[in-house]
Amino acid sequence: MPTIQPEASVKKLIRTQRNVQQHWVGDGFPVRSLFSYPELGSMISPFLLFDYAGPMEFSPTEQRHGVGEHPHRGFETVTIVYSGEVEHRDSSGGGGKIGPGDVQWMTAASGLVHEEFHGREFAQHGGVLEMVQLWVNLPAKDKMSPPRYQSILASQIPVIDLPENKGRVRVIAGKFGEATGPAHTFTPMDVWDLRLTSNQPIDLAVPDGYNTLLAVLKGSVRVNNSETINTAEVGLFDRTGDHIRISSDPETIALLLGGEPIDEPIAGSGPFVMNTAEEIRQAKIDYQSGKMGKISRAHTA
């Protein structure tokens, strides 16, 4: 795992975010938005939004639960499934099914239309759905890049054991020690899926100058031997410092998000995130005129 230098300084926890209010995205995703850019802006950059869906039990059905066609421009969506299945398809030709442990990294960039539904097999058998969707900003120079789609299977994600049986880390993006995550990103960032098992402290090296966020999905995490981040809460750390010190309840699940800030203006409206109000206006015009494409009915997820 990454080594901590003698002169290292610990990042301070500066804020804890929580949201007990749940809302539905379509009829398939009961989410709590644990952070979003209109309130936090540069404190969370390059990240924009974090939706935590579930866990919720769904009964068997032949209906398709989810959210139908809708556009995006100017950013990426990252979907991580913990339980259940999600099927996706979009107007750029991307699409697929992801299940527990899998990740879908969709770059909307210049614009596309997509849809997300429960997997057909999952819907027929029913079960617990639990997933997160993260919105990742793009720098101005890349916002009008061609869309792309990355389907990352659990088997492709490196898993690193923490010392002294303190847990393990799945490296989705960025680096952890010698392991590099499979996700291709536009700006430097780390996305680590943590399974923590020990109440003994452990230091995790994170770059000085990065925004660092720790989202706890199950259990609780104690930070710097003093403050606690509980289930469905996100801790925001100061940019200064090159490691965080944490301990946890047994069987804790958390996501560590770290990234080099994109210190540019943010203008957003619904599914569009750009740099200026004029760019937002143009995105709406382009979507309404069909320039973001249509989902091919011949394409199957």
Side-chain angles (χ1 to χ4, degrees):
M1 64 172 288
T3 56
I4 309 297
Q5 300 303 316
E7 66 276 14
S9 61
V10 65
K11 286 181 182 281
K12 295 179 180 179
L13 182 68
I14 58 175
R15 182 167 177 167
T16 300
Q17 284 289 119
R18 64 184 63 83
N19 183 4
V20 298
Q21 299 299 318
Q22 190 176 76
H23 67 276
W24 284 88
V25 176
D27 65 357
F29 304 108
V31 308
R32 285 167 283 179
S33 296
L34 299 188
F35 66 71
S36 60
Y37 68 91
E39 294 81 22
L40 297 172
S42 64
M43 291 178 64
I44 60 175
S45 178
F47 308 104
L48 293 166
L49 177 143
F50 187 103
D51 275 351
Y52 178 32
M56 178 173 284
E57 179 88 28
F58 284 85
S59 300
T61 181
E62 294 297 321
Q63 296 181 355
R64 298 213 69 197
H65 289 305
V67 57
E69 295 186 20
H70 59 284
H72 289 300
R73 172 178 280 182
F75 64 99
E76 305 179 286
T77 64
V78 180
T79 305
I80 305 169
V81 176
Y82 288 89
S83 179
E85 286 181 345
V86 178
E87 291 183 3
H88 157 92
R89 61 180 179 175
D90 65 52
S91 57
S92 74
K97 179 177 70 174
I98 55 172
D102 299 338
V103 178
Q104 168 192 289
W105 199 295
M106 186 194 78
T107 304
S110 60
L112 49 66
V113 176
H114 81 142
E115 63 182 23
E116 300 161 288
F117 289 96
H118 294 182
R120 291 173 176 82
E121 187 174 345
F122 171 76
Q124 290 170 0
H125 292 90
V128 174
L129 179 77
E130 183 177 10
M131 53 169 273
V132 302
Q133 185 169 96
L134 177 70
W135 287 16
V136 178
N137 202 9
L138 294 172
K141 66 182 182 65
D142 296 315
K143 282 187 177 290
M144 294 302 288
S145 298
R148 73 181 182 193
Y149 176 81
Q150 302 174 69
S151 181
I152 303 170
L153 301 180
S155 60
Q156 298 172 300
I157 299 173
V159 181
I160 309 300
D161 290 326
L162 296 173
E164 301 175 6
N165 297 315
K166 291 181 180 178
R168 60 188 177 89
V169 179
R170 294 199 318 144
V171 188
I172 296 169
K175 295 193 68 175
F176 185 89
E178 299 302 313
T180 300
H184 298 287
T185 67
F186 284 80
T187 58
M189 71 185 66
D190 296 313
V191 178
W192 302 341
D193 182 14
L194 308 177
R195 311 299 168 101
L196 304 171
T197 60
S198 175
N199 61 7
Q200 297 302 307
I202 186 167
D203 287 345
L204 299 178
V206 292
D208 183 45
Y210 272 30
N211 280 327
T212 302
L213 304 93
L214 186 65
V216 176
L217 306 182
K218 178 183 177 183
S220 67
V221 171
R222 193 166 178 81
V223 177
N224 301 333
N225 300 317
S226 60
E227 299 160 291
T228 300
I229 308 171
N230 293 307
T231 299
E233 295 181 348
V234 179
L236 282 64
F237 292 80
D238 188 64
R239 291 187 186 183
T240 302
D242 53 17
H243 69 284
I244 63 171
R245 179 167 296 141
I246 59 174
S247 57
S248 73
D249 290 342
E251 300 184 10
T252 289
I253 298 174
L255 272 174
L256 186 140
L257 310 171
E260 181 179 273
I262 302 172
D263 288 325
E264 297 175 347
I266 299 175
S269 178
F272 308 125
V273 182
M274 302 298 288
N275 298 105
T276 68
E278 174 57 29
E279 290 172 332
I280 293 296
R281 188 184 73 84
Q282 188 62 50
K284 294 177 180 178
I285 292 171
D286 289 348
Y287 168 59
Q288 290 165 359
S289 63
K291 290 184 178 180
M292 295 184 187
K294 296 182 179 180
I295 298 174
S296 171
R297 292 299 111 187
H299 175 74
T300 56

